[in-house]
């Protein structure tokens, strides 16, 4: 999906340069490429304008000018999104927040105040230095940003324990499309003074306001942990075990992957083979290897277990799971369908999805992995010719909805899935979304192709 020409009106460029300075408006294709094409390679534009403000005041002026000119804007953080919401499609200006990257920790309150452009890795390391931890972690930690993870309500590897990004955010500073700055960054943990703007903006995908700063709660630092990779003789037993294992205390992750994914990862990363199994669960739990081994001993259908409680061993077991995305990316453009199933239907989905995909795209290859304790299955499909992509998306998302699942688990709706939003949201809900959108962004310039059908 892409446009083929810069449609930003030329008169706007000197205005933008006047606000942020000459060097902070990028328009040469070689320089802008990394901002204009998304990580999947499926979405973006060959040419466009990128504006890189340094302050909330500059963000406000940029938005005010774009609204006055009727030019749409795509707020962008680390551009690691997977649903096309972080790149322009039809001449929108990219508003890169990466320069707003300050991070400060209040060690007594256990909170971090961070600019929208700070990476999650920077937040994590500032928290660690102050004796705390940040509850959200994901593979793109060194590129993805505070603003982007709030706008997408990013999940990641620790949702099981700490919840998604929305749960961490206490306050935000954000700019409306008319340039109004909304700021409520109070450190008070109890503050019931009306509508929660952070709750509204978490998951709004850049459609309502541009987040410029946020205050997030921190969590106690992790204690030593052990990681197990369990092989199961049947997919059904792996799915049941992902539910049953939650009776154990101290869990921090329960992740699924399949033998085909292991072989693909091993073709890219140097890792030993795993004993054969129909499905694998990676389980991380506080304590040592013996404690984890006895905690998982009664799970049904386990045919093999590898357990480690030293840092190198844990990291190597995590690699089988964490390196899926980059390994799949070596196969060419990927159709990413990030979905949630009710846990008692997850095995039905894992069994059915291959045939559903090959029924509409015979050469399609399905890769399944994800945060299974939350029912989240990352469904990646490679080898789909462009004309068949829509049919694959439609077939998989309808299967998910028929099984009572969500078509967007943690990556958002973006541009990729907006057509299917009605599978999960009623007409009344979508109408309310539209009313919120027109109240906060009456000019309709913020991410106009995202989220709303
Ligand atoms: C993960 O869990 C990310 O690794 C990416 O959410 C998933 O590539 C994907 O589909
Ligand atoms: Zn994920």
């Amino acid at each position: 999906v892409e446009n083929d020409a810069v449609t930003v009106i030329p008169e706007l460029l000197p205005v933008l340069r006047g606000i942020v300075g000459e060097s902070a408006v990028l328009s040469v294709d070689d320089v802008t490429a990394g901002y204009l094409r998304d990580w999947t390679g499926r979405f973006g534009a060959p040419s466009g304008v990128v504006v890189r403000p340094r302050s909330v005041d500059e963000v406000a002026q940029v938005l005010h000018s774009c609204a006055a000119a009727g030019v749409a804007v795509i707020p962008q953080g680390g551009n690691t999104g997977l649903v096309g919401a972080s790149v322009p499609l039809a001449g929108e200006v990219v508003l890169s927040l990466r320069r707003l990257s300050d991070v400060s920790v209040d060690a007594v309150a256990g909170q971090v105040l961070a600019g929208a452009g700070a990476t999650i890795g920077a937040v994590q390391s500032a928290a660690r230095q102050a004796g705390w931890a940040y509850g959200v972690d994901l593979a793109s930690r060194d590129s993805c940003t505070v603003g982007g993870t709030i706008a997408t309500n990013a999940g990641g590897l620790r949702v099981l324990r700490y919840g998604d990004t929305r749960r961490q955010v206490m306050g935000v500073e954000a700019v409306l499309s008319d340039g109004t700055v909304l700021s409520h960054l109070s450190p008070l943990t109890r503050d019931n003074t009306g509508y929660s703007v952070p709750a509204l903006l978490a998951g709004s995908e850049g459609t309502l306001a541009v987040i410029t700063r946020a205050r997030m709660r921190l969590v106690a630092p992790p204690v030593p942990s052990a990681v197990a990779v369990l092989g199961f003789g049947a997919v059904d037993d792996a799915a049941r075990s992902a539910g049953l294992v939650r009776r154990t205390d101290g869990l921090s992750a329960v992740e699924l992957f399949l033998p085909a994914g292991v072989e693909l990862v091993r073709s890219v990363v140097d890792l030993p083979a795993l004993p054969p199994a129909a499905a694998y669960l990676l389980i991380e739990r506080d304590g040592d290897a013996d404690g984890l081994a006895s905690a998982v001993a009664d799970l049904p259908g386990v045919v093999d277990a590898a357990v480690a409680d030293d840092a190198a061993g844990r990291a190597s077991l995590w690699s089988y799971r964490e390196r899926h995305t980059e390994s799949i990316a070596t196969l060419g453009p990927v159709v990413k369908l990030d979905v949630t199933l009710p846990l008692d239907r997850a095995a039905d989905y894992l069994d059915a999805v291959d045939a559903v995909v090959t029924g509409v795209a015979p050469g399609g290859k399905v890769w399944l992995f994800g945060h299974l304790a939350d029912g989240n299955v990352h469904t990646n499909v490679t080898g789909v010719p462009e004309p068949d992509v829509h049919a694959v998306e439609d077939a998989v998302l309808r299967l998910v909805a028929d099984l009572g699942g969500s078509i967007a688990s943690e990556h958002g709706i973006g541009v990729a899935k907006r057509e299917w939003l009605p599978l999960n949201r009623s007409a009344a809900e979508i109408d309310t979304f539209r009313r919120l959108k027109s109240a906060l962004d009456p000019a309709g310039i913020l991410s106009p192709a995202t989220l709303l059908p």
Side-chain angles (χ1 to χ4, degrees):
V1 183
E2 65 176 40
N3 71 338
D4 45 25
V6 185
T7 54
V8 172
I9 51 172
E11 303 82 72
L12 186 60
L13 289 179
V15 178
L16 296 174
R17 290 193 182 106
I19 299 166
V20 295
E22 283 289 322
S23 63
V25 178
L26 316 177
S27 59
V28 176
D29 289 358
D30 287 351
V31 183
T32 55
Y35 298 86
L36 302 182
R37 173 69 49 193
D38 87 328
W39 203 92
T40 68
R42 279 190 64 206
F43 301 95
S47 303
V49 171
V50 179
V51 184
R52 304 181 73 221
R54 279 186 198 77
S55 65
V56 62
D57 183 51
E58 289 183 2
V59 172
Q61 290 183 56
V62 167
L63 287 174
H64 188 265
S65 305
C66 289
V71 170
V73 174
I74 305 287
Q76 187 186 87
N79 194 16
T80 58
L82 299 171
V83 288
S86 57
V87 286
L89 297 177
E92 302 95 327
V93 166
V94 173
L95 180 58
S96 170
L97 282 307
R98 281 190 232 178
R99 284 187 165 173
L100 278 65
S101 60
D102 57 295
V103 179
S104 65
V105 171
D106 179 335
V108 174
Q111 298 171 1
V112 59
L113 188 59
T119 64
I120 295 307
V123 168
Q124 290 172 342
S125 85
R128 204 177 303 123
Q129 277 161 35
W132 291 87
Y134 181 53
V136 172
D137 190 29
L138 58 175
S140 56
R141 59 185 73 81
D142 293 323
S143 311
C144 69
T145 60
V146 165
T149 55
I150 296 173
T152 54
N153 186 28
L157 306 168
R158 308 288 174 200
V159 172
L160 180 64
R161 179 173 281 191
Y162 303 115
D164 53 21
T165 299
R166 184 184 279 124
R167 287 264 301 276
Q168 324 304 320
V169 185
M170 303 177 60
V172 292
E173 173 190 83
V175 188
L176 302 182
S177 66
D178 65 0
T180 303
V181 178
L182 282 182
S183 180
H184 192 70
L185 291 166
S186 154
L188 304 174
T189 50
R190 290 176 173 241
D191 180 16
N192 245 336
T193 51
Y195 299 142
S196 168
V197 176
L200 182 62
L201 295 188
S204 64
E205 302 191 44
T207 60
L208 298 180
V210 177
I211 297 162
T212 49
R213 273 178 131 197
R215 180 181 292 277
M216 280 98 64
R217 69 186 87 257
L218 298 175
V219 298
V223 300
S225 68
V227 174
V229 168
L230 307 180
F232 290 84
V235 171
D236 188 39
D237 283 330
R240 288 184 55 222
S241 295
L244 291 171
V245 73
R246 290 176 305 162
R247 296 185 296 202
T248 307
D249 65 354
L251 283 184
S252 57
V254 177
E255 299 282 323
L256 168 86
F257 48 88
L258 300 180
V262 170
E263 285 320 302
L264 178 65
V265 169
R266 289 188 58 236
S267 71
V268 176
V269 186
D270 183 22
L271 285 170
L274 290 176
Y280 300 92
L281 288 185
L282 178 149
I283 298 175
E284 180 158 7
R285 180 175 183 265
D286 296 349
D288 62 12
D290 290 346
L292 177 52
S294 54
V296 299
D298 65 346
L299 293 177
V302 178
V303 294
D304 182 76
V307 190
D309 57 12
D310 62 301
R314 283 192 313 245
S316 143
L317 291 177
W318 262 111
S319 301
Y320 292 100
R321 161 61 184 87
E322 230 189 353
R323 312 237 5 213
H324 265 66
T325 297
E326 67 183 87
S327 303
I328 295 166
T330 63
L331 302 177
V334 188
V335 183
K336 297 252 178 208
L337 296 162
D338 161 45
V339 302
T340 306
L341 283 305
L343 257 189
D344 61 351
R345 305 310 298 275
D348 294 341
Y349 176 76
L350 296 168
D351 286 343
V353 65
D354 260 317
V356 162
V357 166
T358 50
V360 291
K365 170 78 189 132
V366 182
W367 307 93
L368 300 166
F369 58 102
H371 318 288
L372 191 59
D374 309 311
N376 183 183
V377 180
H378 292 309
T379 305
N380 283 211
V381 190
T382 54
V384 183
E386 191 53 40
D388 294 343
V389 167
H390 187 267
V392 167
E393 294 171 316
D394 191 64
V396 173
L397 297 179
R398 285 182 195 281
L399 170 68
V400 168
D402 287 347
L403 292 170
S406 164
I407 64 163
S409 187
E410 59 168 359
H411 299 166
I413 293 290
V415 172
K417 293 183 186 164
R418 62 179 183 151
E419 160 186 356
W420 291 280
L421 189 62
L423 289 176
N424 281 155
R425 296 295 202 153
S426 68
E429 286 181 296
I430 293 172
D431 181 55
T432 304
F433 286 8
R434 286 191 199 288
R435 287 199 239 176
L436 288 167
K437 167 80 174 161
S438 52
L440 295 188
D441 177 24
I445 61 156
L446 289 176
S447 299
T450 294
L451 183 60
L452 291 164

